[in-house]
Amino acid sequence: MKKPTCFRSFLTFTTFVAVSSVIISCTTPNSAESSGEFSSETKPAQAGEVPDEVSLKADRSVFESERKNISESTKKENDELAAVLSMMSNPDEEPSKVRDRFNTALRKKRDKNDKMLRERRESFMKKQRADREAFLKQSQTARTDFMKSKHSQDENKAFFEKQESKRKDFFDAANDALKEFDAKMNEDRKTFEDYVRERQNTFNASLRTYTETYQDRRNNLEKKKRAEQRARQLELRNESTTSVPNGSSNSASGASSDASDPLNEWKQIPKIPGTELTPKGN
């Protein structure tokens, strides 16, 4: 016998959650996970990874002692999966609301990542500005001290050539540092966008299974409701039929029978003497 679609969908979703739970080190999300909250632990990011501050993951610090033998990358991946699954812990919640909550969490992480990158640039530019001002001030002090006394033409030439060489080296180094900084910023921005895309794909796949189960559940509840309504209506009709007295029932039955008899009107014509149509004696 073919199993109902709802059962197959529910079995698929249950299997997905069970396997995911095993991957997450056989632990259950805490209250922070169930409410859709995410941790903001600060740890240095590896190359090609997003910082923990902008990682969409559940707070698993309460289980840290049980996960001490798991690599950091696996922990992070498991926590991110736990965050997605925790959003689907209520089977009666509309899929659109689940998606809205995920998009809100992702938007907050994106805003936080943009803020981090902006603060890094501001800090870098502030340092470059301070270094440039300090260098120019030092160069000016050196020129002032040098000009306090007389020097030969060769000495003046050598001094200013050395000054110009230092200035060129300083600004070349500053430009190289800026280019390197911009390249790192672009790399980190791309890493984050790749991360968001991957998390979005993972969520979409999970949401499709959740939506199928949700729709099947709603359809079966609606069928059950309609069946209960029909059963109730039938019960009320049966109660109404059994509550009518026998005599009334028979009378109504007899009247109905008479009304349905096609000879009834013929039988009810009164019997009177007939009228002769031809005079007697003819």
Side-chain angles (χ1 to χ4, degrees):
M1 180 178 180
K2 185 178 180 181
K3 295 182 180 180
T5 303
C6 178
F7 179 79
R8 293 200 309 272
S9 301
F10 181 76
L11 181 60
T12 302
F13 184 71
T14 303
T15 304
F16 172 77
V17 173
V19 172
S20 302
S21 300
V22 173
I23 295 177
I24 308 170
S25 305
C26 301
T27 58
T28 304
N30 57 19
S31 59
E33 293 168 311
S34 300
S35 62
E37 297 176 359
F38 306 101
S39 66
S40 299
E41 301 173 0
T42 303
K43 293 181 181 178
Q46 302 293 327
E49 293 184 356
V50 297
D52 280 357
E53 296 94 325
V54 296
S55 174
L56 185 69
K57 66 175 189 173
D59 186 359
R60 314 286 287 176
S61 57
V62 67
F63 304 113
E64 199 61 39
S65 60
E66 301 177 17
R67 306 191 303 159
K68 59 184 178 181
N69 296 325
I70 304 176
S71 66
E72 288 298 325
S73 60
T74 302
K75 287 181 184 178
K76 191 172 184 178
E77 183 178 350
N78 292 345
D79 295 346
E80 290 165 353
L81 179 59
V84 172
L85 293 179
S86 69
M87 294 182 179
M88 305 176 188
S89 58
N90 181 6
D92 295 322
E93 187 172 19
E94 294 182 3
S96 60
K97 292 184 178 180
V98 177
R99 180 178 292 279
D100 288 343
R101 190 160 65 253
F102 174 82
N103 289 339
T104 298
L106 209 58
R107 185 176 63 254
K108 289 180 179 179
K109 295 301 179 181
R110 186 185 297 278
D111 292 343
K112 189 168 188 177
N113 185 69
D114 291 342
K115 182 180 179 182
M116 286 174 53
L117 295 178
R118 188 167 55 251
E119 289 177 348
R120 280 173 56 188
R121 174 169 291 279
E122 291 174 355
S123 177
F124 176 83
M125 298 305 294
K126 181 178 180 181
K127 183 178 184 306
Q128 275 212 328
R129 202 161 41 244
D131 291 344
R132 182 172 60 252
E133 291 174 357
F135 173 78
L136 294 176
K137 183 177 181 180
Q138 182 182 12
S139 298
Q140 180 62 39
T141 301
R143 284 196 300 272
T144 301
D145 293 341
F146 180 78
M147 297 300 293
K148 287 181 179 179
S149 57
K150 289 185 178 182
H151 301 279
S152 65
Q153 184 176 0
D154 291 339
E155 289 174 337
N156 288 336
K157 181 180 178 182
F159 174 80
F160 286 105
E161 284 180 350
K162 185 177 181 180
Q163 283 271 317
E164 178 61 20
S165 178
K166 287 182 178 181
R167 188 196 68 80
K168 185 177 181 302
D169 290 343
F170 175 83
F171 282 101
D172 285 347
N175 288 334
D176 290 342
L178 179 58
K179 290 178 181 179
E180 183 179 353
F181 174 81
D182 286 339
K184 183 64 168 64
M185 288 281 285
N186 292 334
E187 180 184 354
D188 290 348
R189 186 176 288 107
K190 182 180 182 300
T191 297
F192 179 78
E193 292 302 327
D194 291 343
Y195 168 84
V196 169
R197 191 178 303 108
E198 183 180 350
R199 296 286 77 75
Q200 186 74 61
N201 291 338
T202 300
F203 174 80
N204 290 341
S206 300
L207 187 65
R208 280 194 294 270
T209 303
Y210 175 88
T211 301
E212 182 180 354
T213 304
Y214 173 85
Q215 292 296 345
D216 287 344
R217 177 181 172 83
R218 290 290 299 272
N219 292 339
N220 281 285
L221 288 175
E222 186 63 27
K223 290 179 181 178
K224 180 181 178 182
K225 182 179 179 181
R226 289 198 297 266
E228 290 175 348
Q229 289 176 345
R230 286 196 298 268
R232 179 58 180 165
Q233 291 173 356
L234 181 60
E235 182 181 352
L236 291 175
R237 283 199 299 268
N238 292 337
E239 291 177 355
S240 176
T241 302
T242 56
S243 64
V244 177
N246 292 335
S248 299
S249 176
N250 293 336
S251 176
S253 175
S256 175
S257 175
D258 290 344
S260 62
D261 188 356
L263 298 178
N264 186 45
E265 293 184 3
W266 175 265
K267 293 178 180 180
Q268 292 181 2
I269 297 176
K271 297 180 180 181
I272 57 176
T275 304
E276 293 183 1
L277 300 179
T278 304
K280 292 181 179 181
N282 292 338

